[in-house]
Each structure stands twice: as structure tokens, then as C-alpha cells.
Amino acid sequence: MKTQMLFAAALAAASGAARAEDASAPPPAAPLPVVTVAPAPVVAPQAIVLPKGTMVRLMVTKEINSRDSKAGDHFTLRVDEDVKVGGLTLIPVGATGWGEVVTAEGTGGVGKKGRINAKLLFVDVGGKRIPVDGERQSAGSNATGAVVYSVLAFGPLGLVMKGGNASLKAGEILNGYTTEDVAFDKPAA
């Protein structure tokens, strides 16, 4: 039993020494709280769409005529009216548009009138080409009646009289229509 008491005393002494060591040591650090950060939500950039079939008013900037033009010639146009969607101007007045001469027939003898056919191609807005569709045909004046009088007055020389040239005059308005939906970045407020 004496051994047991000695053992108990030794145990008590060892436990007291351990407590003394614990008292001199700094207390254990408290565990840090775990913070979970949610990823930032992915926000799609705001866009506004110019729908297919939107009308764009285009003005001819320089006369195009059947005498000077040939098929394949390109010509410039100017947007004549702001195109807005939801109160925002997507195509401003003054933006450049382009057209192409499809056919051009000059005047001919016996009063034949000139003809010109042109189509719209696209509008350029800040480097973005917006395709537009539209076509314009024009014919010059017919001089058949004048040819008859010329033949009566001048004989066969009256047959060389020509009709009028066809033209798209500067300032003439052509209506084009967008051929596809076009997305624009929504401006920051």
C-alpha cells in the first residue's frame, strides 16, 4: 500500500508540475473563425437591340445619274434622322451609309430614256456595319413626243434626239430597313 501511496503522491506531484508549466505557457490561441466569401455574381453586359426591320432614313449626298455611273459603283448616303430604341439613339443623324449602283443605262437615240437602279448596303456606326435593305429605281424623261416633232421638222436627223438621264438627286431620301437584329452596348448611366 505504501507503494500505492508513493505512486499517488508522485502522480499528484507530476500533475502539479504540469499545471505549473501550463500556467507559465501562453494560453492556446483561439481558433480563427472560418469566413466563406461567395464569388461575385457574373453579370452579363447590358445590351440594347436594334430590331430587324427598323427603318433608317438615308439622304443621297451627291447626285448619281445614268450618264456617269455604272453597275458596281458605290455611293455615300447620310442618315437623315436619329434611330432610337428605348429613348437611346443607336444610329445618329450624320452617320454614313453606303449604296451600290445595280444597273445604269444611259440615254439612247429615238428618245430612249436613261434608267438607274440602286440598292442600299449598310450604315456605319462607330465602326459597326449595320446591313440595310432598300432599293430605288429611276428613269429619265421620255422624249418620244419630241422625237416625232423633230422628225417632222428635221427629217431623219430628229431620230438622234435622246431622252433624259435617270438620276438620284442630292438630298433625295431613301428608306432602308435593317436586315438583322443588331446588339449595341448600353451606355453607362
Side-chain angles (χ1 to χ4, degrees), residues 82-100:
D82 286 338
V83 177
K84 297 181 179 189
V85 172
L88 295 173
T89 299
L90 299 181
I91 303 176
V93 167
T96 303
W98 291 91
E100 179 180 13

Side-chain angles (χ1 to χ4, degrees), residues 125-148:
V125 179
K128 182 182 283 198
R129 287 185 171 185
I130 302 168
V132 291
D133 188 31
E135 196 170 301
R136 177 61 64 96
Q137 297 176 357
S138 179
S141 60
N142 192 350
T144 305
V147 169
V148 171

Side-chain angles (χ1 to χ4, degrees), residues 90-181:
L90 299 181
I91 303 176
V93 167
T96 303
W98 291 91
E100 179 180 13
V101 175
V102 178
T103 59
E105 298 173 15
T107 60
V110 193
K112 180 183 172 201
K113 59 186 172 182
R115 296 180 187 276
I116 192 164
N117 182 17
K119 68 178 181 177
L120 302 176
L121 298 174
F122 62 88
V123 175
D124 186 12
V125 179
K128 182 182 283 198
R129 287 185 171 185
I130 302 168
V132 291
D133 188 31
E135 196 170 301
R136 177 61 64 96
Q137 297 176 357
S138 179
S141 60
N142 192 350
T144 305
V147 169
V148 171
Y149 291 119
S150 295
V151 168
L152 292 174
F154 302 109
L157 289 177
L159 294 175
V160 296
M161 184 172 186
K162 295 183 178 186
N165 283 304
S167 66
L168 301 176
K169 300 210 180 292
E172 189 172 338
I173 300 296
L174 307 176
N175 291 328
Y177 298 88
T178 57
T179 61
E180 59 189 46
D181 290 347

